[in-house]
Amino acid sequence: MLEGMHKVNLIIDQGNTYCKAALFDNDIIITQLKEENAKLFRLKPEIEKYSVDRAIISSVSEVASVEKLLDELGVKATLFNHQSTLPIDIQYETPHTLGLDRIATAVGALKLSPQTNNLIIDIGTAITYDITTPDDGFIGGNIAPGLDMRLRAMHQQTKNLPLLERKESQNFFGKNTQEAMRNGAQFGIIAEIDSYISAACLKYGQITTFLTGGDAAYFEKKIKNDIFVVPNLIFVGLLEILKIN
């Protein structure tokens, strides 16, 4: 940690394979980092460039290696879990099973748009659709398979369909089996997203729709409804949670 420098906050989002991190100066991201969990030591020289005040860890994996890294850096860390204090009410019937990433992105949406009803669409391995309102906080949401999961399922659950990687199609209706599979997966998600936006507007009136997650950029220009693409929404939410813990 560099002495005498303006202090920043470190946000860590650890998945099963990769660890993503962001450094915030107040509410502004000044840098983002990504490394395999097995090679977390590579983050140390990058983080050492800054004077870190506090850190928060959100993890679906074991956190010992992250905590060890932060301890070596002399950084005080908060572990985000279901006992953490939140700046949002949770109306979910089983809050202890609600994914921490869903909570964090909901908090991020609330930070960016506190006076509107929000639909948060997080597109990654799975797709989550979550609703927040100014009065009630986190209402609930749904979970659906992501693009690669749909392609993999078609192969695994049938005898003859191949295992495919994603690829843009030139035709809306496939001219061959591979194109038909890719179209079914991709256009199915696009229709699903547009349908969720329409249904949310019908139920809650005017809404703000946030698109985030690893595949947000892939689908960004394919959706006909107005959306705000915020790839770092989880970092925004985790920073707000860090502030009150």
Side-chain angles (χ1 to χ4, degrees):
M1 183 185 299
L2 301 179
E3 297 296 335
M5 290 183 62
H6 178 67
K7 291 187 179 295
V8 300
N9 287 317
L10 174 63
I11 312 302
I12 294 178
D13 175 31
Q14 185 183 35
N16 289 307
T17 305
Y18 287 95
C19 182
K20 294 177 288 184
L23 286 148
F24 278 82
D25 184 354
N26 293 315
D27 289 341
I28 306 299
I29 292 180
I30 54 178
T31 191
Q32 294 188 58
L33 307 168
K34 181 179 178 180
E35 190 52 79
E36 295 177 40
N37 288 334
K39 301 175 181 177
L40 284 181
F41 62 89
R42 292 181 177 177
L43 294 177
K44 188 175 181 180
E46 294 300 317
I47 298 173
E48 283 180 323
K49 295 177 182 177
Y50 303 90
S51 180
V52 179
D53 183 22
R54 296 180 64 206
I56 187 169
I57 305 167
S58 177
S59 178
V60 299
S61 184
E62 60 84 23
V63 297
S65 55
V66 178
E67 291 177 327
K68 180 177 182 292
L69 172 67
L70 296 183
D71 186 60
E72 291 174 356
L73 291 166
V75 175
K76 178 183 177 182
T78 296
L79 180 62
F80 176 41
N81 55 38
H82 288 100
Q83 284 71 52
S84 299
T85 302
L86 299 174
I88 189 173
D89 291 330
I90 303 294
Q91 306 298 328
Y92 213 58
E93 292 180 356
T94 55
H96 60 285
T97 69
L98 180 59
L100 295 175
D101 54 342
R102 295 173 67 188
I103 297 172
T105 53
V107 171
L110 179 69
K111 166 67 175 178
L112 298 179
S113 191
Q115 301 303 321
T116 67
N117 300 319
N118 299 320
L119 172 63
I120 304 104
I121 304 173
D122 190 340
I123 311 182
T125 302
I127 306 172
T128 56
Y129 301 89
D130 292 318
I131 286 284
T132 68
T133 70
D135 294 332
D136 296 317
F138 185 96
I139 300 296
N142 295 335
I143 305 172
L147 179 56
D148 293 330
M149 191 183 296
R150 296 181 194 215
L151 291 171
R152 205 161 48 244
M154 282 189 275
H155 166 67
Q156 292 174 347
Q157 301 299 318
T158 64
K159 272 190 175 182
N160 298 318
L161 294 181
L163 178 60
L164 302 178
E165 295 181 353
R166 64 181 66 184
K167 182 180 177 182
E168 294 288 349
S169 176
Q170 301 301 313
N171 305 297
F172 184 80
F173 290 104
K175 300 293 186 180
N176 55 66
T177 297
Q178 292 191 6
E179 194 174 55
M181 291 173 63
R182 289 191 175 103
N183 286 2
Q186 176 176 295
F187 294 135
I189 289 174
I190 295 167
E192 183 177 287
I193 290 172
D194 283 323
S195 177
Y196 267 103
I197 295 172
S198 298
C201 288
L202 187 63
K203 183 171 180 60
Y204 294 99
Q206 186 174 359
I207 64 165
T208 301
T209 301
F210 291 95
L211 195 68
T212 191
D215 276 349
Y218 185 83
F219 285 96
E220 174 182 357
K221 296 181 179 178
K222 299 177 174 67
I223 299 166
K224 65 181 182 181
N225 286 279
D226 291 334
I227 56 172
F228 291 97
V229 180
V230 187
N232 55 15
L233 191 61
I234 190 169
F235 288 145
V236 175
L238 287 171
L239 178 63
E240 294 306 302
I241 294 168
L242 175 61
K243 290 176 181 178
I244 60 174
N245 282 275

